[in-house]
Amino acid sequence: MALLIQNGEIITADSRYAADIFVEFETITRIGTNLEIPEHTEVIDATGKYVFPGFIDPHVHVYLPFMATFAKDTHETASKAAVIGGTTTYIEMCCPNRTEDALEGYNLWKSKAAGHSACDYSFHMSVTKFDDNTEKQLREIVKDGISSFKIFLSYKNFFGVDDGEMFKTMTLAKELGVIVTAHCENAELVGQLQAKLLNEGKTGPEYHEPSRPESVEAEGTNRFATFLETTGATGYVVHLSCQPALKAAMAAKSRGVPIYIESVLPHFMLDKTHAEHPNHEGAKFVMSPPLRDKKNQKPLWDALEQGFIDTVGTDHCPFDVAQKALGIGDFTKIPNGIPAIEDRVNVLYTYGVSRGNLDIHRFVDAASTKAAKLFGLFPRKGTIAVGSDADLVIYDPNYRGVISSKTQTVNNDYNGFEGMEIDGKPSVVTVRGHVQVRDGKFVGNSSMGELLRRKPQHF
Ligand code: URP
Ligand code: ZN
Ligand code: ZN
């Protein structure tokens, strides 16, 4: 089946022009004006709309056994919400814990996704312990098409690695050409501060942030960077939330350490006062690193605009109100996570491009192209070019709406961005040429998504 997208304005990370896009099967085969229309071509009129490359969310949790429960999504629910929001590829954190086998975990995570996703996907492979067996298995997983590892400096005794394991993971990553992504918080300090606060009777969600202060994240970021510098591996800080951590990462960048920075939507838009809402309402806003003092938001926006923050992801991780109640009387037991996969593109567009100072090309870069480049998907994904997958977002900049849990697709009973206005939304979304969203509604196939096999990259 052929598809012609006519009269739209194509916007990529580095270009903006009016042209039509012709798609055959799953691939863009022509871009131009006055393109011939063969018989049986479906024509989509994009007059007055932007045509963006499909957006890529580089940090999501779908299947996640964590904190005595499971994140609420399945790939069906997460991927539908993703494509409605303009995301056509996501990279899920594959997270077996320290007591589990890496390869068994990888196969389990793959089985949860296979045949159940409405968009394409890949995994960052978490390394939650490092022994001889792990090393052998990681080599096999990389051969299978996974070219990024994930380490946690936090979540001691569950996902967390110690410094020795971090060193060994980076040494292997350097050899294999694999990028190491990292959650950077000092696990020991978090544990000590949590115990101290609980001892003082400070048990509500508002104490989550004080138990993981900015300095704890800055230390983790600095240590991660120092290990990259020592091993020569390339790294990517996930969900960087505050100015001190940004300074640590920037200092490393400026002395030539190959370190990239991701921040996630909640940290640009929400702050620690949300976790202070009474009657345990604040638990809806508990994630790690925590929502911060609002003063951190401007430095994050500035760094994003200037390209020092490379990507914007979500850290999508839905737990409903009943699951959040597991932490009533003990904030350390509140399942950590906020869902955002459906709202990332619209909120970033609205508060960055439409109402802020984010250049529209930097927006495309941060929400799509840069992740494609860093994680070995470019130019198949992350751009609009002949030969690229036909992952296209026909975006209506004249749409006006308000985010509400009542109208969301995401599988949860609240929305952290409730009540926020949005100045645009995807009208049509294609994944490899399949029309998955039409008139803003899911009309597609929820099992056509494929695991993207990626090659190691020697940075
Ligand atoms: O609070 C969060 N971020 N939940 C998901 C696990 C993680 O740390 O990414
Ligand atoms: Zn994390
Ligand atoms: Zn995460």
Side-chain angles (χ1 to χ4, degrees):
M1 177 70 176
L3 199 62
L4 180 70
I5 295 162
Q6 265 186 334
N7 307 321
E9 188 178 8
I10 297 172
I11 303 183
T12 69
D14 53 16
S15 62
R16 179 171 192 156
Y17 57 105
D20 303 339
I21 301 170
F22 189 71
V23 173
E24 282 169 287
F25 299 103
E26 304 196 334
T27 309
I28 298 171
T29 55
R30 277 181 287 152
I31 301 174
T33 48
N34 302 316
L35 297 179
E36 185 196 321
I37 311 180
E39 238 188 302
H40 308 301
T41 298
E42 179 184 351
V43 178
I44 295 178
D45 182 22
T47 302
K49 305 207 171 60
Y50 299 143
V51 186
F52 292 127
F55 292 96
I56 300 172
D57 192 336
H59 185 166
V60 308
H61 300 274
V62 181
Y63 173 67
L64 184 67
F66 185 45
M67 299 190 74
T69 185
F70 291 81
K72 275 206 76 178
D73 265 323
T74 61
H75 281 269
E76 270 102 356
T77 61
S79 63
K80 268 189 200 172
V83 291
I84 282 179
T87 291
T88 55
T89 297
Y90 53 72
I91 309 184
E92 186 191 4
M93 300 292 171
C94 170
C95 291
N97 69 47
R98 272 185 89 78
T99 65
E100 292 167 338
D101 184 85
L103 191 55
E104 276 173 22
Y106 175 61
N107 287 327
L108 174 65
W109 257 258
K110 275 208 304 190
S111 73
K112 296 282 175 190
H116 297 289
S117 183
C119 64
D120 288 347
Y121 57 90
S122 183
F123 301 100
H124 299 298
M125 183 63 213
S126 295
V127 182
T128 52
K129 63 172 180 263
F130 196 103
D131 54 29
D132 289 348
N133 201 31
T134 321
E135 175 171 341
K136 212 166 52 201
Q137 296 187 337
L138 290 173
R139 289 178 186 277
E140 224 174 290
I141 291 165
V142 171
K143 276 204 193 106
D144 195 48
I146 300 303
S147 60
S148 46
F149 293 155
K150 167 75 183 288
I151 55 172
F152 293 88
L153 279 61
S154 60
Y155 308 129
K156 199 173 179 177
N157 300 326
F158 192 69
F159 292 145
V161 287
D162 63 26
D163 284 356
E165 291 167 320
M166 172 157 65
F167 183 85
K168 288 177 186 159
T169 303
M170 287 185 183
T171 304
L172 179 66
K174 169 76 182 160
E175 181 202 320
L176 297 179
V178 162
I179 185 168
V180 181
T181 74
H183 175 138
C184 300
E185 289 181 299
N186 183 307
E188 186 59 41
L189 286 172
V190 172
Q192 295 292 339
L193 289 172
Q194 286 178 330
K196 178 171 178 291
L197 288 160
L198 289 176
N199 269 339
E200 291 166 0
K202 296 173 175 164
T203 61
E206 67 274 28
Y207 294 105
H208 178 68
E209 200 279 342
S211 76
R212 324 171 83 97
E214 294 171 13
S215 54
V216 161
E217 188 184 344
E219 191 283 333
T221 307
N222 185 49
R223 184 154 39 97
F224 177 59
T226 307
F227 275 63
L228 292 173
E229 198 167 13
T230 310
T231 58
T234 297
Y236 175 97
V237 179
V238 301
H239 52 35
L240 183 140
S241 74
C242 62
Q243 194 171 29
L246 181 61
K247 278 191 181 152
M250 295 286 296
K253 270 192 195 240
S254 68
R255 60 179 195 271
V257 180
I259 186 168
Y260 297 90
I261 305 173
E262 167 200 277
S263 291
V264 295
L265 192 68
H267 291 124
F268 288 96
M269 300 303 300
L270 307 171
D271 64 73
K272 68 176 185 179
T273 61
H274 288 86
E276 293 165 4
H277 290 174
N279 306 321
H280 214 253
E281 280 286 297
K284 293 175 179 172
F285 298 94
V286 165
M287 67 176 289
S288 296
L291 299 180
R292 298 297 189 190
D293 191 295
K294 204 172 176 52
K295 69 173 191 283
N296 287 287
Q297 289 178 356
K298 183 161 175 0
L300 291 189
W301 280 109
D302 288 348
L304 174 64
E305 284 154 24
Q306 291 156 13
F308 296 125
I309 288 177
D310 295 281
T311 63
V312 177
T314 54
D315 198 8
H316 174 80
C317 191
F319 296 103
D320 65 17
V321 171
Q323 291 174 300
K324 292 282 185 180
L326 292 169
I328 291 176
D330 181 348
F331 68 86
T332 68
K333 296 195 164 58
I334 300 169
N336 286 201
I338 300 178
I341 202 166
E342 187 170 354
D343 301 313
R344 177 184 66 128
V345 170
N346 294 331
V347 172
L348 193 63
Y349 175 82
T350 302
Y351 296 93
V353 179
S354 176
R355 303 189 188 188
N357 299 315
L358 184 62
D359 172 74
I360 199 162
H361 301 289
R362 181 78 264 276
F363 157 74
V364 174
D365 190 40
S368 176
T369 314
K370 195 66 179 271
K373 289 181 175 168
L374 288 174
F375 298 119
L377 296 169
F378 190 84
R380 178 174 174 192
K381 307 287 189 189
T383 195
I384 297 176
V386 170
S388 295
D389 280 358
D391 295 352
L392 299 166
V393 177
I394 302 177
Y395 199 79
D396 181 0
N398 295 311
Y399 173 86
R400 295 292 176 269
V402 174
I403 293 175
S404 165
S405 61
K406 294 196 177 66
T407 51
Q408 72 188 4
T409 302
V410 83
N411 185 26
N412 208 3
D413 53 6
Y414 76 93
N415 187 313
F417 307 95
E418 186 77 32
M420 275 183 201
E421 294 176 356
I422 49 170
D423 294 351
K425 129 179 175 169
S427 157
V428 174
V429 178
T430 66
V431 178
R432 279 185 282 108
H434 299 258
V435 177
Q436 295 290 68
V437 174
R438 204 187 286 278
D439 294 328
K441 301 203 171 40
F442 185 78
V443 293
N445 174 345
S446 54
S447 61
M448 56 78 57
E450 281 179 6
L451 170 61
L452 300 166
R453 296 186 195 270
R454 301 179 282 130
K455 287 200 179 77
Q457 312 190 87
H458 288 272
F459 287 88

